Amino acid sequence: MPKERPLWRGPAFRLCLLSAALFLCLQLGMRRSWCPEEKPRERAVAAGRAPPPPRGAEQRPGAAAALGGRRRVTYVRSGRRGSAAPACCALQPPGGRRRKTVRWHVELQPWASPTPSLNYEALRFLKYISTSQISCEHMNLNSLKGYSETSKKPWSICLDERFSLIHRIRSKQCRLYSLGLGSDDNQFEVGMANSGCEVHRFDPSIKSAHIQEGRHLWYHRLSIDWRDPNPAIAAHKLHSNTKKLGTILNEFGHQKIDVLKADVESAEWKILENLILEDVVEQIGQLVFEVHIHWPGFEVSGNDSTVVRYWYSLLRELELKDFRLFYTYKDLSKPQMFLKKKAFNASSCYTLSWVNTRWK
């Protein structure tokens, strides 16, 4: 029986191998004839002299893949033909707020002593909030037209001629924001409204969303917080009426606040931190805050010396932004407590007023 020849020695196999080689050569030749400029373009890109993309590439986002798939090119689709700016980046209206770099924490001041000590921190802090940094000769609100002094607390604002508040009150252009939690003492707000100021009082305990009382006084069922609620978190839906002050300003279309008054029962430290970090404080002319020091405050953590250092650092941040303390009041009617201790002859509550010396 004749020996069978291997298949790979047969003429049919050789013919198939020759055909495959010829087909491969034809494919390479056709590719070079279709894309003669591919290598020159790559050399130009490497030299920083890339020629313009083929006509129509802006309308065909997949055009880069058609050129061999070696480069990923992204084209921004503009709005209407001839528009001055892309649709994604609308121009800010004149006088709009400039976007600023976000800060995540305040700069802590050095410790008051070589080693952390509550005694040194407390003495430094209490001296700071008890000492005026600038004099204000006119704080008597009775001089304002329509104001009657019946307020239970000493809410003091500076009405010296060198600052703009008194001039804005006279021209009926001042604006007051008042942050509170169900207090019945609203005589300060009523008096400022009677003097011609536009007054907005934010209190989550009122029954209606918005109430207008007289020509210049509004009540809003809103609580000012140091963060906006996240609608994706179920627990935050219970606080849908809680917003940051910067968010309220944007929603109301207000660029400036002449006076910000706050009596928010220990939330003032985190609210003040938010105003500083987001530069909202630069939009405020005067601050009138009731601060509570009988405990650290909402979401303020750390040991006692760390907490007092944080308080002090916040107030120094105000000073760096040209705010000066002109009025301080120690409330002796409140418990004399400092971080849950009867110490340092401190009251649990102080009323402090600052003026922005750069305010125009």
Side-chain angles (χ1 to χ4, degrees), residues 173-303:
Q173 294 181 343
C174 67
R175 179 178 294 124
L176 164 71
Y177 271 30
S178 173
L179 318 182
L181 296 172
S183 174
D184 294 330
D185 183 16
N186 63 347
Q187 293 306 309
F188 176 76
E189 290 81 357
V190 172
M192 293 295 288
N194 291 338
S195 300
C197 279
E198 175 187 335
V199 178
H200 297 269
R201 181 173 172 84
F202 300 90
D203 186 344
S205 67
I206 65 174
K207 296 181 180 180
S208 301
H210 305 281
I211 299 175
Q212 183 174 0
E213 186 177 288
R215 293 181 56 189
H216 303 291
L217 178 59
W218 287 265
Y219 292 87
H220 308 282
R221 192 176 58 203
L222 290 169
S223 176
I224 305 301
D225 202 87
W226 53 93
R227 59 184 173 239
D228 285 328
N230 187 346
I233 301 176
H236 285 195
K237 293 181 180 179
L238 300 175
H239 306 282
S240 58
N241 289 333
T242 299
K243 298 180 181 180
K244 296 186 296 186
L245 183 62
T247 302
I248 297 293
L249 285 171
N250 290 334
E251 291 181 354
F252 283 23
H254 296 161
Q255 296 295 324
K256 294 181 178 182
I257 306 172
D258 293 282
V259 179
L260 175 63
K261 167 186 172 283
D263 181 6
V264 287
E265 304 300 336
S266 300
E268 63 272 1
W269 297 112
K270 295 299 289 186
I271 291 176
L272 184 59
E273 180 188 50
N274 170 256
L275 299 182
I276 292 170
L277 293 180
E278 296 190 355
D279 287 326
V280 178
V281 73
E282 296 181 358
Q283 300 173 254
I284 302 172
Q286 296 190 25
L287 295 170
V288 186
F289 270 53
E290 184 175 86
V291 300
H292 303 84
I293 59 176
H294 61 287
W295 72 295
F298 293 103
E299 295 194 14
V300 178
S301 59
N303 58 34

Side-chain angles (χ1 to χ4, degrees), residues 127-182:
K127 180 180 179 181
Y128 193 85
I129 65 172
S130 302
T131 307
S132 298
Q133 298 169 329
I134 192 173
S135 63
C136 181
E137 297 180 3
H138 301 92
M139 293 185 290
N140 188 355
L141 303 182
N142 289 326
S143 62
L144 298 178
K145 181 180 179 182
Y147 189 90
S148 59
E149 183 60 60
T150 57
S151 178
K152 300 177 183 178
K153 296 183 179 180
W155 305 110
S156 294
I157 55 178
C158 188
L159 301 173
D160 284 2
E161 295 285 340
R162 55 179 169 155
F163 301 121
S164 65
L165 178 59
I166 184 61
H167 305 286
R168 294 177 64 83
I169 292 176
R170 290 170 181 165
S171 61
K172 311 298 183 183
Q173 294 181 343
C174 67
R175 179 178 294 124
L176 164 71
Y177 271 30
S178 173
L179 318 182
L181 296 172

Side-chain angles (χ1 to χ4, degrees), residues 108-113 117-133 268-269 272 289-297 300 304-319 325 328-330 337-339 343-352 354:
L108 292 177
Q109 293 293 314
W111 291 100
S113 57
S117 165
L118 175 59
N119 185 64
Y120 282 100
E121 295 300 323
L123 292 177
R124 178 176 68 171
F125 171 76
L126 291 171
K127 180 180 179 181
Y128 193 85
I129 65 172
S130 302
T131 307
S132 298
Q133 298 169 329
E268 63 272 1
W269 297 112
L272 184 59
F289 270 53
E290 184 175 86
V291 300
H292 303 84
I293 59 176
H294 61 287
W295 72 295
V300 178
D304 288 350
S305 57
T306 300
V307 167
V308 181
R309 181 192 183 197
Y310 165 74
W311 291 344
Y312 177 73
S313 299
L314 278 179
L315 303 187
R316 286 301 306 272
E317 286 270 357
L318 284 178
E319 186 177 349
L325 185 67
T328 174
Y329 172 75
K330 178 181 178 181
M337 301 286 289
F338 186 86
L339 290 176
F344 308 109
N345 193 29
S347 172
S348 60
C349 179
Y350 289 76
T351 303
L352 308 175
W354 293 267

